[in-house]
Amino acid sequence: MLTPLETVKKKRAEAINRIVGKGYLSTKRVYVGMATCEIAAGSKDVMEVFQTAIKNGLTDVYLSQKGCAGRCNLEPTVEVIEEGLVPVKYGRVTRDMAHQIIERHLKKGEIIEEWVIR
Amino acid sequence: MSRKYSITICDGPTCLHKKSKELESAIEQCLKEHALTDKVRINLSGCLGMCGKGPILIVKPGYTIYGSVTLGDVAEIIEKHIIKKKPVARLAIEEDHLYNRFFRIFGDVNFFGKQLRIVLRNCGIIDPESIDDYLSVRGYEALAYVLTQMKPLDVVEEVKKSGLRGRGGAGFPTGIKWQLTAREKNSEKFVICNADEGDPGAFMDRSTIEGDPHSVIEGMCVGGYAVGAQKGFIYIRAEYPLAIKRLEKAIADAKAEGFLGDKIMGSDFSFDIEIRLGAGAFVCGEETALIHSIEGHRGMPRPRPPYPSVQGVFNKPTLINNVETWANIPVIILDGAEWFKSIGTEKSKGTKVFALAGKIKNTGLIEVPMGITLRSIIYDIGGGIPNNKKFKALQTGGPSGGCLSEEYLDTKIDYESLAKVGSIMGSGGMIVLDEDTCMVNIAKFFLEFTENESCGKCAPCREGTKRMLEILTRITEGKGEEGDINKLQRLGKLIQKASLCGLGQSAPNPVLSTLKNFRSEYEEHIKEKKCRAKVCSTLLGYEISEKCIGCTACKKVCPTGAIAGIQKSLHVIDQSKCIRCGACFEACKFNAIKRI
Ligand SMILES: Cc1cc2nc3c(=O)[nH]c(=O)nc-3n(C[C@H](O)[C@H](O)[C@H](O)COP(=O)(O)O)c2cc1C
């Protein structure tokens, strides 16, 4: 029988496999803040824009929700993470900005400087 | 410009190495020589918790950590890593600690870079509703580790050794509390997670649960194992629906994966967790009132001893800790008590989460090592006071805490130092006040809260807070009397000494601390009938300036006919008729009416 430590390691490997199966290794990963504070600032709209884009054929993007990272006055926040690049963090994202992030950043690789949190 | 690379240099407030400034200029110089200034962003972080291996440089993308970096290594790192894209293996260190995981993504932003995250390690980087995400960041490994490698008493010892203290407010040593519960001989014991979070303006516990619910559950399981409990309760206010939903899902997922329930991961340990909803009374955060509430009684405190560790829920030995306390546990187990204890001050170890709010540029949720100064929190992380206003006070500890003036900003935060200067660490509320805040009014605000939330069981709290509030109200209305300050002080000290529970014992703190640090404002209100922050409206006078164009708007709204003047000429207020209602001030469109 496996020890608890062996069990958890096995479960971790399985969990990672499932995450990879959901497309974690896509070129770009997008995280949208979905805590009470982020939702109050409008993040559900932003999430919906990304979800719809993926449903309508946007590929090579892994979309996930996340909790609050703590930057209250810049919410909703969205991160775009790409291997080999410093993670890009956008603040005060609106529905319209989300569309632009899809068109310009996710599709063309352009970082939209004026929205980046530093 | 977003730059392709970022180099983070550790610059902890209590750093032993103190090389950050030299390293920074050496890096800047070297980048200039290679014409790379535009491509690489340099930032200084707070303590990264790797002091034994410092000074530390972190190069992104890729997150390569370089340890024991000397000035002589800088050129090699830049030439090999940045230019030839080959990390310098000789200096790179491998780290797979639990703490600070968020740093990989957020560390290059100033607001985040100065923080050290143990409790919030996963908040903002994983999907809180996915147990797979939690597992992927070594979730439930701490639980598996203690079940495989440690006896219950070893776990208690480890927590004791870490120096962790309760984050719910009082700062009681966690390990000792665990020991007191563990040594009780009873076949039935309970653990409780206190997620009542009643301080106005505080949202540390809500964010922790919403961002990483499994870390709290895992902490509770470890605690249950250590003290010999079979069942846990999470007491959370019904006003936190999303946090509750995420906890429910997390508990169900943990059960399905065998991290909760019978014979966890094949061991002999069985443990289950149930959620209990509170209706949001502040007093229900107090442990004995909370226990009554769980039992189905009205949430009222009772005298201690007996402490919950001896007689808690259903009279069984009960271990109660705060959300943040619980979330520290997996890190203490996996990163080790030795490491945990290396962070912080002599008597306060680890980090503290604060909800930073008020008159500050960067509001938000922060986690900082104990020992950081208040000034560093306000200016380095918070970005200072907006609109060129002057700092006036920092309120910590919410309705049980106090207000600190500028002279205390270099205080290094820990439980003792904050108490010494007249405030408390509390559960983590931190409100910055600027020159436009009236300190008497702030004290009144907090006292209104406690007076309202007093459960009424004991007279000192029920009657005392009411009388104090009456005195404060008359002071802010310009009816303060000679001797009111003495009365407030006497009454305050009495309530502190004679109240049954912590609510009453700490209710006078906001008043007493403002009396200590801002006494002159009380005196001005009482003697000169003046509010320097221009907040207490009945103490303000109004005056019409040259800007008046004679539109008559003010004259029309004045309820006592105190304003005289004909159209298109300067108007005047008859001060003997003015009742200081402020209607003219609101009505004027030309900024011609001044508060005096
Ligand atoms: C009026 C009052 C309200 C309290 N509210 C809370 C609360 O919301 N959350 C909390 O964890 N502790 C609260 N406490 C402290 C608890 O009584 C208790 O000390 C704490 O839950 C113990 O956990 P810790 O040792 O991990 O801090 C409150 C105490 C008082 C007197």
Side-chain angles (χ1 to χ4, degrees):
Chain A
M1 209 172 91
L2 298 181
T3 66
L5 212 42
E6 288 160 350
T7 307
V8 87
K9 285 183 179 154
K10 185 165 153 267
K11 283 186 181 288
R12 183 188 312 149
E14 289 163 5
I16 291 173
N17 270 337
R18 283 193 292 268
I19 296 172
V20 169
K22 283 196 292 181
Y24 187 84
L25 301 178
S26 307
T27 310
K28 294 188 178 75
R29 281 180 284 137
V30 175
Y31 290 84
V32 181
M34 291 288 271
T36 296
C37 46
E38 298 261 12
I39 291 170
S43 68
K44 270 192 177 157
D45 286 351
V46 174
M47 184 57 132
E48 196 186 296
V49 172
F50 287 108
Q51 281 166 340
T52 312
I54 289 173
K55 213 183 286 161
N56 293 341
L58 176 68
T59 53
D60 213 10
V61 169
Y62 176 83
L63 177 65
S64 173
Q65 62 170 352
K66 54 155 185 145
C68 155
R71 243 353 270 281
C72 300
N73 57 334
L74 296 182
E75 289 173 350
T77 58
V78 170
E79 286 90 52
V80 179
I81 300 174
E82 188 170 353
E83 225 34 68
L85 291 177
V86 178
V88 179
K89 297 155 278 276
Y90 291 117
R92 294 209 178 108
V93 179
T94 60
R95 201 176 253 285
D96 181 52
M97 285 160 74
H99 282 295
Q100 292 202 48
I101 291 171
I102 293 169
E103 291 307 317
R104 291 160 66 186
H105 191 161
L106 299 185
K107 291 190 182 163
K108 303 200 187 98
E110 174 202 353
I111 295 170
I112 309 171
E113 297 294 342
E114 63 270 31
W115 301 340
V116 173
I117 302 175
R118 300 196 196 290
Chain B
M1 255 301 287
S2 268
R3 291 162 170 156
K4 273 191 92 77
Y5 288 89
S6 87
I7 299 181
T8 301
I9 309 165
C10 76
D11 183 28
T14 52
C15 192
L16 310 164
H17 309 292
K18 302 213 184 338
K19 280 274 164 48
S20 51
K21 293 286 177 303
E22 283 121 298
L23 280 169
E24 186 182 17
S25 35
I27 294 170
E28 269 170 5
Q29 182 59 32
C30 190
L31 290 176
K32 211 184 281 165
E33 281 162 18
H34 291 102
L36 284 171
T37 310
D38 286 347
K39 295 222 166 57
V40 185
R41 190 176 134 91
I42 305 174
N43 68 315
L44 297 181
S45 74
C47 179
L48 292 166
M50 292 185 258
C51 304
K53 295 172 184 164
I56 301 283
L57 288 190
I58 296 178
V59 180
K60 282 192 199 179
Y63 206 76
T64 309
I65 306 172
Y66 291 117
S68 312
V69 178
T70 63
L71 292 176
D73 297 329
V74 166
E76 186 180 349
I77 291 175
I78 289 178
E79 279 159 20
K80 287 204 178 137
H81 192 142
I82 309 274
I83 298 175
K84 298 198 182 123
K85 304 191 174 16
K86 288 240 161 54
V88 185
R90 175 175 72 81
L91 295 167
I93 48 180
E94 288 293 330
E95 285 280 344
D96 191 19
H97 39 238
L98 229 54
Y99 73 89
N100 243 10
R101 285 188 175 259
F102 92 110
F103 209 87
R104 285 169 185 264
I105 294 169
F106 291 99
D108 57 309
V109 174
N110 235 332
F111 174 83
F112 295 109
K114 300 280 182 208
Q115 303 185 34
L116 176 66
R117 291 190 166 189
I118 295 175
V119 172
L120 303 176
R121 58 193 177 276
N122 297 324
C123 284
I125 63 165
I126 64 167
D127 178 352
E129 293 185 30
S130 159
I131 195 170
D132 284 348
D133 272 32
Y134 186 65
L135 280 167
S136 75
V137 291
R138 297 177 69 193
Y140 290 105
E141 188 180 322
L143 175 61
Y145 184 84
V146 301
L147 292 179
T148 313
Q149 311 268 17
M150 294 170 89
K151 290 200 207 53
L153 286 185
D154 299 340
V155 181
V156 172
E157 279 309 311
E158 189 75 1
V159 174
K160 251 169 90 178
K161 197 165 78 182
S162 74
L164 175 66
R165 295 170 64 174
R167 303 294 193 236
F172 189 82
T174 306
I176 300 210
K177 204 187 256 187
W178 287 32
Q179 188 176 33
L180 293 174
T181 320
R183 76 170 185 204
E184 286 298 311
K185 303 249 178 300
N186 202 316
S187 59
E188 206 180 0
K189 296 183 192 176
F190 295 97
V191 303
I192 296 177
C193 169
N194 187 344
D196 189 59
E197 196 162 53
D199 286 17
F203 52 90
M204 301 77 58
D205 295 346
R206 187 192 70 204
S207 292
T208 306
I209 292 174
E210 286 181 358
D212 192 16
H214 286 286
S215 69
V216 179
I217 293 172
E218 185 178 1
M220 289 177 72
C221 292
V222 173
Y225 174 71
V227 304
Q230 305 77 28
K231 173 137 189 181
F233 291 104
I234 300 178
Y235 188 86
I236 183 167
R237 50 181 52 225
E239 285 134 312
Y240 283 177
L242 185 63
I244 295 166
K245 182 184 135 202
R246 289 195 176 151
L247 273 177
E248 281 168 349
K249 176 154 196 330
I251 291 172
D253 289 350
K255 268 186 200 164
E257 290 285 342
F259 300 126
L260 279 176
D262 282 342
K263 303 215 173 297
I264 292 173
M265 288 184 263
S267 70
D268 288 332
F269 175 60
S270 302
F271 188 74
D272 211 345
I273 294 182
E274 201 179 297
I275 299 175
R276 288 293 166 99
L277 302 188
F282 180 53
V283 77
C284 282
E286 195 280 333
E287 56 190 29
T288 60
L290 185 150
I291 287 169
H292 284 152
S293 177
I294 289 184
E295 292 170 345
H297 302 295
R298 184 164 166 192
M300 278 194 170
R302 61 156 172 83
R304 296 173 307 178
Y307 286 92
S309 52
V310 179
Q311 244 181 62
V313 193
F314 307 117
N315 292 326
K316 304 289 178 191
T318 300
L319 169 63
I320 174 164
N321 279 124
N322 164 263
V323 171
E324 192 181 329
T325 314
W326 286 120
N328 271 297
I329 299 298
V331 179
I332 290 174
I333 300 298
L334 289 186
D335 293 340
E338 279 305 326
W339 172 78
F340 190 87
K341 167 169 113 164
S342 74
I343 308 298
T345 64
E346 195 198 331
K347 287 190 178 155
S348 303
K349 302 298 187 190
T351 57
K352 180 77 196 84
V353 181
F354 290 102
L356 191 58
K359 304 293 177 61
I360 183 128
K361 280 194 189 129
N362 308 330
T363 55
L365 192 70
I366 62 167
E367 182 173 350
V368 287
M370 300 280 189
I372 192 173
T373 62
L374 296 171
R375 190 180 300 281
S376 181
I377 293 182
I378 297 175
Y379 292 95
D380 295 343
I381 299 176
I385 320 293
N387 309 323
N388 291 323
K389 295 279 182 180
K390 252 187 75 186
F391 170 86
K392 187 178 211 168
L394 182 69
Q395 209 284 340
T396 66
S400 319
C403 292
L404 301 173
S405 50
E406 171 105 44
E407 61 184 298
Y408 298 118
L409 284 190
D410 292 311
T411 306
K412 292 185 169 162
I413 56 161
D414 72 12
Y415 292 94
E416 280 73 26
S417 65
L418 285 176
K420 209 165 108 199
V421 297
S423 191
I424 60 165
M425 175 86 78
S427 62
M430 195 176 258
I431 304 169
V432 181
L433 308 171
D434 71 3
E435 54 188 316
D436 291 341
T437 317
C438 167
M439 300 313 291
V440 185
N441 191 56
I442 278 287
K444 183 174 145 237
F445 167 82
F446 282 112
L447 204 70
E448 267 167 3
F449 177 82
T450 34
E451 189 262 347
N452 205 6
E453 294 288 340
S454 170
C455 78
K457 185 168 178 177
C458 71
C461 175
R462 181 185 68 233
E463 302 298 326
T465 53
K466 198 166 193 74
R467 296 289 97 84
M468 278 182 90
L469 183 59
E470 279 168 8
I471 298 175
L472 284 174
T473 306
R474 77 171 175 245
I475 294 177
T476 57
E477 286 174 351
K479 297 176 199 143
E481 296 160 11
E482 193 70 43
D484 273 353
I485 292 184
N486 279 344
K487 277 186 195 154
L488 283 173
Q489 270 168 334
R490 235 182 53 219
L491 206 47
K493 289 197 179 119
L494 192 125
I495 297 170
Q496 282 181 333
K497 278 198 200 127
S499 292
L500 168 60
C501 83
L503 195 154
Q505 286 157 13
S506 63
N509 290 357
V511 181
L512 296 179
S513 76
T514 45
L515 273 173
K516 173 170 174 276
N517 295 329
F518 301 91
R519 191 184 177 100
S520 58
E521 285 197 36
Y522 281 84
E523 284 167 351
E524 279 168 16
H525 278 74
I526 296 170
K527 293 193 187 123
E528 300 167 37
K529 311 292 174 208
K530 199 177 123 203
C531 172
R532 68 168 84 167
K534 304 200 188 325
V535 172
C536 299
S537 63
T538 46
L539 298 188
L540 301 178
Y542 295 89
E543 205 174 65
I544 301 178
S545 76
E546 302 299 314
K547 287 188 191 157
C548 173
I549 61 148
C551 74
T552 74
C554 58
K555 191 173 158 183
K556 281 185 200 135
V557 298
C558 179
T560 57
I563 301 179
I566 50 169
Q567 218 168 19
K568 294 191 183 154
S569 73
L570 185 71
H571 284 44
V572 217
I573 302 177
D574 178 346
Q575 297 296 343
S576 65
K577 285 191 194 159
C578 172
I579 55 161
R580 296 157 176 39
C581 68
C584 54
F585 184 82
E586 303 285 320
C588 180
K589 292 198 175 66
F590 303 94
N591 262 338
I593 299 187
K594 285 191 307 194
R595 285 181 164 149
I596 51 172

